[in-house]
Amino acid sequence: MRYAALSTLVLASTALGQRFGDVLEPVLGPSTVTALKEPKLGDVDGDGDLDLVIDRGGGVSRDQSIVELWLGDGTGRFVQAKASDWVVQRDRLTGWNSVLLADFDGDGFLDIMLAGSGPGPAWKLFTGKGRGKFVAAWTKSFSYGQTRAVNTADIDGDGDVDIVPEAFWYTGSQVLRNDGKGNFTLVALPSVNNIFNVRLIPLDIEGDGDIDFIQAWPFRLLVQGPAWVFTEETAQRFGQVARANDVAAGDIEGDGDPDVIILSATAPPTFYRNNGKGVFVADNPSPFRRVGSPTRFLLEDCDNDGDLDALLVDALKPLEYWRNDGANGFVSASSRIYMAPAAFMFTTVDIDTDGDMDVVYRDGNLVAPGPLRLLTNFEHQLYVPTSVNIGSSLVLTAAARPGFASQKLWLLPAVGARLAVLRAIPNVGLLGLDPSSFVPLPLIPTAKVDGISDLHVPVPNLAALRGAEVWLQGTWTDGVGSFWLSNLRRTIIQ
């Protein structure tokens, strides 16, 4: 009935919208949480969209750490799960410095690992049982040191998820090998003593199918040989490298092998190209024309053109976006970030189900952290305000590719009921609306100048519409036979 009523609205003509690249929205709504660490995202309740697991850090006192689950609706918005199921506190001598979300026991459901530091049983595993339900599996202590953060990778090639910790202080480089059932053994790698602020990056530098490691601070390359034996080959493969604050790795050139970007404290990031045999040569001068080096660096295909772009984060400076120019170099594209924030911790993920990478980040810095926020990628995006008043106009914004003027695209938006489980359609995207409830709206042709157009939908001045929940999704087409789905959006009539 609601969607039939909406189909009778008088629809205005399409008009050119203001050019913008991304939109800044709070992930958790008007949240008062101010001690957030790096979030983890995954589909824990099996409904096809991403959910959010966060460690709030200090909680009500500095001796508590509160872990919470927030369930996503597929639009990039979240609602907190039952507090009785998700509030976990820590003891005075036990700290959780990182939260991991992965299928550690191989049963097909995501598990939650709390990775700790300090003396006592600081590591906890909660195994997922489907539909967002978890049970405590074990609490253990590893003689590892003060953990800063934790990464996952199949480091031994046996098909399960192993753990690669980072640490502030400890002796030696160590990893946690999984037996496939969620039980872990601490294994040492070749090391030097008294390492500070270690970061281990797993990658296969030679293309031989096994995992090697790059270590930052001090910078070292550990190459895996037979029988899980590692040898240091830094000088042979990189030459002389100054101390690295951080390292990023990925196939930047698109030639099938990983390249490396090294961050130092005093110089721009250095781009090292892999020659295909695991030997690296530095670009000189650096393609990143900036003063100093950022604190963290992520490589993602932000513009859906098939190559890796770069996001540079500095807690005290605005987030930077550098596009891969397709000729194995980078050009600054930070002007495409609307209200570029100073992000302390961030992660990239397709949070709104439209097939491109968005940014979830923690506002603020180490001294004055803020809430989680979302930086939405407006590549093939349908944007709708989260609420609209009766008697006003609902503005639908179709954003194809800001600044990409060579291709004309159209968006066919529709309203309908949300599917209980998002449906994956190969080569098209994630369907979020029930097809039987579709009410199509007029076609929106996107402008060639900036790829963005608006559709104004008048909302009747009827009190009965207040509180109505309206779900929207669009189908993109290039007019020559290609189709793909936009993101899913929701608005509330007030």
Side-chain angles (χ1 to χ4, degrees):
M1 179 68 69
R2 178 181 303 165
Y3 301 108
L6 287 172
S7 66
T8 64
L9 299 179
V10 178
L11 303 175
S13 60
T14 302
L16 179 64
Q18 180 184 5
R19 182 181 188 276
F20 57 92
D22 302 85
V23 66
L24 195 65
E25 292 184 309
V27 172
L28 306 181
S31 174
T32 59
V33 178
T34 58
L36 294 169
K37 299 183 180 181
E38 185 173 347
K40 301 298 180 183
L41 294 106
D43 183 11
V44 304
D45 55 3
D47 64 352
D49 57 41
L50 292 176
D51 308 302
L52 182 70
V53 179
I54 58 173
D55 181 355
R56 286 177 51 183
V60 298
S61 75
R62 66 184 302 170
D63 297 321
Q64 292 180 329
S65 186
I66 300 175
V67 179
E68 295 177 347
L69 171 65
W70 293 69
L71 301 176
D73 65 2
T75 72
R77 309 289 295 185
F78 297 84
V79 176
Q80 188 175 1
K82 293 180 180 179
S84 59
D85 296 335
W86 296 107
V87 176
V88 184
Q89 296 181 346
R90 71 181 184 184
D91 299 326
R92 178 176 296 274
L93 296 179
T94 302
W96 294 325
N97 289 75
S98 187
V99 175
L100 288 175
L101 191 61
D103 181 12
F104 293 109
D105 56 7
D107 64 354
F109 300 119
L110 292 176
D111 310 309
I112 295 177
M113 174 81 77
L114 307 180
S117 64
W123 292 67
K124 299 177 183 288
L125 176 65
F126 296 85
T127 55
K129 300 304 177 182
R131 298 188 178 182
K133 304 298 181 182
F134 291 81
V135 297
W138 50 252
T139 300
K140 295 183 179 181
S141 177
F142 295 105
S143 300
Y144 192 84
Q146 188 175 356
T147 309
R148 181 184 75 169
V150 182
N151 303 308
T152 58
D154 182 10
I155 59 178
D156 49 11
D158 61 355
D160 55 33
V161 180
D162 307 301
I163 294 178
V164 183
E166 303 172 23
F168 284 115
W169 285 108
Y170 70 95
T171 300
S173 301
Q174 302 172 80
V175 295
L176 294 169
R177 294 180 69 177
N178 190 348
D179 67 356
K181 299 178 181 179
N183 301 305
F184 293 85
T185 302
L186 193 65
V187 179
L189 303 179
S191 59
V192 295
N193 292 334
N194 299 322
I195 298 174
F196 176 74
N197 205 16
V198 168
R199 176 166 168 77
L200 288 173
I201 306 295
L203 74 169
D204 180 7
I205 67 164
E206 302 169 298
D208 58 359
D210 54 32
I211 292 295
D212 311 298
F213 290 97
I214 287 180
Q215 174 185 286
W217 210 344
F219 181 83
R220 296 189 308 148
L221 173 63
L222 304 176
V223 179
Q224 184 179 166
W228 188 248
V229 175
F230 290 80
T231 57
E232 181 178 351
E233 299 185 9
T234 310
Q236 302 95 306
R237 297 179 183 271
F238 277 92
Q240 185 67 33
V241 176
R243 191 174 83 171
N245 286 7
D246 200 5
V247 177
D251 185 8
I252 297 171
E253 298 178 288
D255 57 358
D257 53 44
D259 308 297
V260 172
I261 295 176
I262 297 177
L263 284 65
S264 70
T266 57
T270 304
F271 177 20
Y272 284 82
R273 301 176 186 269
N274 190 331
N275 70 354
K277 299 179 180 179
V279 178
F280 296 82
V281 179
D283 267 14
N284 192 12
S286 169
F288 301 98
R289 298 176 298 278
R290 70 190 308 275
V291 177
S293 191
T295 55
R296 293 302 292 266
F297 200 107
L298 282 185
L299 294 171
E300 292 285 358
D301 183 7
C302 297
D303 53 6
N304 278 354
D305 63 352
D307 52 38
L308 292 176
D309 309 300
L311 291 169
L312 285 67
V313 64
D314 190 316
L316 302 179
K317 298 178 182 178
L319 182 68
E320 295 184 27
Y321 170 31
W322 291 73
R323 291 187 63 205
N324 191 323
D325 62 8
N328 306 325
F330 291 87
V331 294
S332 176
S334 295
S335 61
R336 295 193 174 194
I337 300 181
Y338 174 67
M339 297 175 60
F344 179 64
M345 289 183 177
F346 74 115
T347 187
T348 54
V349 66
D350 181 14
I351 202 169
D352 54 5
T353 67
D354 64 344
D356 55 36
M357 289 294 106
D358 309 300
V359 176
V360 179
Y361 71 96
R362 195 188 81 176
D363 207 354
N365 53 54
L366 182 61
V367 178
L372 281 182
R373 299 185 70 88
L374 168 64
L375 200 61
T376 305
N377 190 332
F378 262 60
E379 180 83 4
H380 300 151
Q381 180 83 8
L382 171 63
Y383 179 72
V384 179
T386 56
S387 63
V388 61
N389 294 325
I390 60 173
S392 65
S393 291
L394 175 63
V395 181
L396 283 64
T397 300
R401 180 181 294 181
F404 186 69
S406 63
Q407 184 177 7
K408 186 73 172 181
L409 298 173
W410 291 263
L411 179 68
L412 178 62
V415 297
R418 187 196 189 280
L419 287 170
V421 178
L422 301 186
R423 185 182 305 166
I425 302 177
N427 303 317
V428 176
L430 281 174
L431 179 63
L433 297 184
D434 183 351
S436 66
S437 68
F438 276 0
V439 175
L441 300 175
L443 192 70
I444 307 177
T446 56
K448 283 188 175 182
V449 176
D450 59 4
I452 297 175
S453 295
D454 291 340
L455 177 69
H456 295 256
V457 182
V459 179
N461 192 14
L462 299 175
L465 289 177
R466 284 199 173 106
E469 181 181 72
V470 182
W471 291 89
L472 303 99
Q473 190 170 24
T475 303
W476 287 98
T477 179
D478 58 4
V480 294
S482 295
F483 298 90
W484 57 96
L485 290 167
S486 79
N487 55 308
L488 181 66
R489 294 295 296 185
R490 182 188 66 165
T491 190
I492 304 294
I493 300 179
Q494 298 180 342

